[in-house]
Amino acid sequence: MNSASFPSRWVAHGAALCCAVVWGVTFVSTKVLLDIFAPAEILFLRFLLGMIALWCVRPQRLHVEGARRHLLFAGAGLCGVTLYFLLENMALQYTLASNVGVLVAISPLFTALLARLLLGERLRLGFFIGFVFALAGIVCINVNSGAVLRLNPLGDLLAVLAALTWAFYSILTRRIGQMGYDTTLATRRIFGWGLLLMLPVLPFAGVDTDATRLLLPTAAGNLIFLGLGASALCFVLWNFALSRLGPVTVSQYIYLIPLVTVGASLAVLGEPVTLLAVVGMALILAGLLISEGRFRR
């Protein structure tokens, strides 16, 4: 039995599922905000708002002793906040969104390999079979949207690097969780490091000092959603799930994000769901179940 109790494990699964659902619909808010802010501005503002929210919830100070532990938090902030989102945004500038969607989805594979190398976790054959099923489903969904996967070396490499940095974030956060720190306080510290390491990039990222844009209802509403929901709440839930289930299990919920996106497109935009999309969603669900060992021979 895992160190987490049975009810706690199901709560952790629910937390990871909640993150996949919220992150699956954030593309709508980000797309709206890109008409008002530069990508780096959106990134900085959402995590600044998220850190403020976490400070309001838990204003206590997190005591971290030892340079090695400080480096763990700095590394998590660098990988999960600064590098991942900057690399993803840069990738979108050089390659197709469909390429980025597929390549970022290989993050669970990187996470599993790093967990094996750095944490000594065992990997089952079912994980790799499930990965193939889920990736095939994601490709189906991207093709269904009318996108054609074409090789764009620079952009595709940036997308792969984004997937790799998220894998490192998962491993580092797992190590932080094993040290017994409060999840909310630890997430706030990670946000702080991510924002600090983002500062050198902002002067070169097209930042505008016009603060009146924040008063626009559209801007304020979407930033609140991204800051409070997709950042503060979801990162706390994701880090909680990582501490209870481990990076290999939790990372597999990333497969569900494209599936949620299809559902959001149907509900919000009224886009039709074709047979290919249904096949893609079925493959993703099958991949997740196989990876989790829910399907027996």
Side-chain angles (χ1 to χ4, degrees), residues 21 24-25 27-28 141 144 256-273 277 281:
V21 171
V25 299
F27 75 97
V28 177
I141 287 177
N144 171 74
L256 295 179
I257 294 177
L259 188 151
V260 174
T261 302
V262 172
S265 299
L266 172 64
V268 179
L269 305 177
E271 295 181 357
V273 177
M281 289 187 285

Side-chain angles (χ1 to χ4, degrees), residues 197-221:
L197 295 171
M198 202 185 303
L199 289 176
V201 179
L202 293 180
F204 308 98
V207 174
D208 191 341
T209 57
D210 181 14
T212 58
R213 296 173 297 166
L214 297 173
L215 302 178
L216 297 173
T218 301

Side-chain angles (χ1 to χ4, degrees), residues 98-106 108 131-145 149 252 254-259 262 279-281 283-284:
S98 54
N99 288 38
V100 177
V102 172
L103 292 172
V104 167
I106 67 176
F131 169 77
V132 173
F133 269 73
L135 194 63
I138 292 169
V139 171
C140 287
I141 287 177
N142 278 279
V143 172
N144 171 74
S145 66
L149 299 176
Q252 293 165 21
I254 292 174
Y255 300 147
L256 295 179
I257 294 177
L259 188 151
V262 172
V279 171
M281 289 187 285
L283 286 171
I284 290 173

Side-chain angles (χ1 to χ4, degrees), residues 27 46 50 85 91 165 167 169 197 207 230 244 249-250 274-275 286 297:
F27 75 97
R46 66 177 279 187
F85 287 98
T165 58
Y169 169 77
L197 295 171
V207 174
R244 297 298 188 274
T249 298
V250 175
T274 65
L275 177 61
R297 184 177 302 177

Side-chain angles (χ1 to χ4, degrees), residues 13-287:
H13 278 290
L17 178 61
C18 177
C19 293
V21 171
V22 174
W23 288 340
V25 299
T26 51
F27 75 97
V28 177
S29 291
T30 303
K31 186 175 181 179
V32 171
L33 288 174
L34 283 172
D35 293 331
I36 307 172
F37 301 100
E41 289 179 310
I42 298 173
L43 178 58
F44 185 83
L45 290 171
R46 66 177 279 187
F47 281 100
L48 177 61
L49 183 58
M51 190 177 72
I52 293 172
L54 294 179
W55 186 275
C56 293
V57 173
R58 294 296 301 275
Q60 295 88 342
R61 181 185 175 188
L62 180 66
H63 296 279
V64 179
E65 297 181 356
R68 185 175 180 180
R69 294 193 174 190
H70 281 290
L71 286 175
L72 279 176
F73 279 99
L78 175 66
C79 294
V81 177
T82 307
L83 285 181
Y84 173 76
F85 287 98
L86 286 177
L87 286 169
E88 188 177 64
N89 287 338
M90 290 170 62
L92 288 170
Q93 294 177 341
Y94 292 102
T95 190
L96 301 175
S98 54
N99 288 38
V100 177
V102 172
L103 292 172
V104 167
I106 67 176
S107 178
L109 178 61
F110 285 145
T111 302
L113 296 176
L114 288 176
R116 180 72 182 93
L117 291 173
L118 302 178
L119 303 180
E121 295 195 10
R122 295 180 59 186
L123 299 179
R124 297 175 292 102
L125 177 61
F127 169 83
F128 296 99
I129 297 174
F131 169 77
V132 173
F133 269 73
L135 194 63
I138 292 169
V139 171
C140 287
I141 287 177
N142 278 279
V143 172
N144 171 74
S145 66
V148 179
L149 299 176
R150 293 195 300 268
L151 183 65
N152 295 274
L154 178 57
D156 294 344
L157 176 61
L158 291 171
V160 171
L161 290 175
L164 182 59
T165 58
W166 185 260
F168 273 107
Y169 169 77
S170 298
I171 300 299
L172 292 170
T173 307
R174 170 66 164 174
R175 293 289 297 139
I176 291 171
Q178 291 174 333
M179 295 175 181
Y181 291 113
D182 178 86
T183 304
T184 302
L185 297 180
T187 304
R188 191 185 72 200
R189 176 64 63 92
I190 291 171
F191 280 13
W193 273 109
L195 289 168
L196 181 64
L197 295 171
M198 202 185 303
L199 289 176
V201 179
L202 293 180
F204 308 98
V207 174
D208 191 341
T209 57
D210 181 14
T212 58
R213 296 173 297 166
L214 297 173
L215 302 178
L216 297 173
T218 301
N222 284 285
L223 280 174
I224 289 173
F225 169 69
L226 291 176
L228 303 187
S231 298
L233 175 62
C234 283
F235 270 74
V236 169
L237 293 177
W238 190 261
N239 293 345
F240 165 77
L242 282 170
S243 67
R244 297 298 188 274
L245 303 174
V248 176
T249 298
V250 175
S251 67
Q252 293 165 21
Y253 280 92
I254 292 174
Y255 300 147
L256 295 179
I257 294 177
L259 188 151
V260 174
T261 302
V262 172
S265 299
L266 172 64
V268 179
L269 305 177
E271 295 181 357
V273 177
T274 65
L275 177 61
L276 186 59
V278 173
V279 171
M281 289 187 285
L283 286 171
I284 290 173
L285 290 174

